[in-house]
Amino acid sequence: QAQLLESGGGLVQAGGSLRLSCAASGLTFVSYAVGWFRQAPGKEREFVAVINWSGGATGYGDSVKGRFTISKDNTKNTVYLQMSSLKAEDTAVYYCAARRPSMSSYEYWGQGTQVTVSS
């Protein structure tokens, strides 16, 4: 029954901003680490950002540092990815994923939301 749902993707001009949301049902994020990944056509899945609910520690992939910000809303059980200064190279399907801290891999994945950045 646990499910993650991404939203907020779309078409944006280079240099613009977009905010993605990841809402959970059937699980409470308070017990999880929540991450964002992306995959462009013909390329491998790439780590984007992660937030640990307990303590709020964050981490980012090198390609998005300084431009993307991950955050959370406890009351809405939702994680956000604020993307700024977007580049054409950011075009990809963005996925939300969650795992318990004791697990080595992400247990739950959303279906993804398309982000397209036009030059």
Side-chain angles (χ1 to χ4, degrees):
Q1 189 173 339
Q3 193 171 84
L4 305 181
L5 178 62
E6 304 97 334
S7 62
L11 176 64
V12 63
Q13 292 267 356
S17 299
L18 206 61
R19 189 179 77 162
L20 306 183
S21 299
C22 175
S25 62
L27 63 84
T28 303
F29 276 147
V30 69
S31 301
Y32 289 80
V34 183
W36 287 95
F37 298 81
R38 67 186 184 185
Q39 188 166 23
K43 297 184 178 180
E44 294 185 351
R45 184 182 64 197
E46 178 186 19
F47 168 75
V48 175
V50 64
I51 185 166
N52 293 310
W53 209 273
S54 180
T58 60
Y60 298 92
D62 290 340
S63 63
V64 305
K65 286 181 179 178
R67 300 188 297 120
F68 291 10
T69 302
I70 188 170
S71 62
K72 61 185 178 70
D73 187 326
N74 294 356
T75 62
K76 296 182 179 180
N77 201 34
T78 299
V79 170
Y80 304 97
L81 183 68
Q82 178 66 50
M83 305 183 294
S84 300
S85 301
L86 284 163
K87 307 173 181 178
E89 294 76 26
D90 295 318
T91 295
V93 177
Y94 284 71
Y95 298 91
C96 177
R99 63 171 176 86
R100 289 168 288 178
S102 61
M103 303 297 289
S104 60
S105 61
Y106 284 85
E107 302 171 76
Y108 305 103
W109 291 81
Q111 293 297 307
T113 184
Q114 176 72 47
V115 173
T116 302
V117 184
S118 62
S119 301

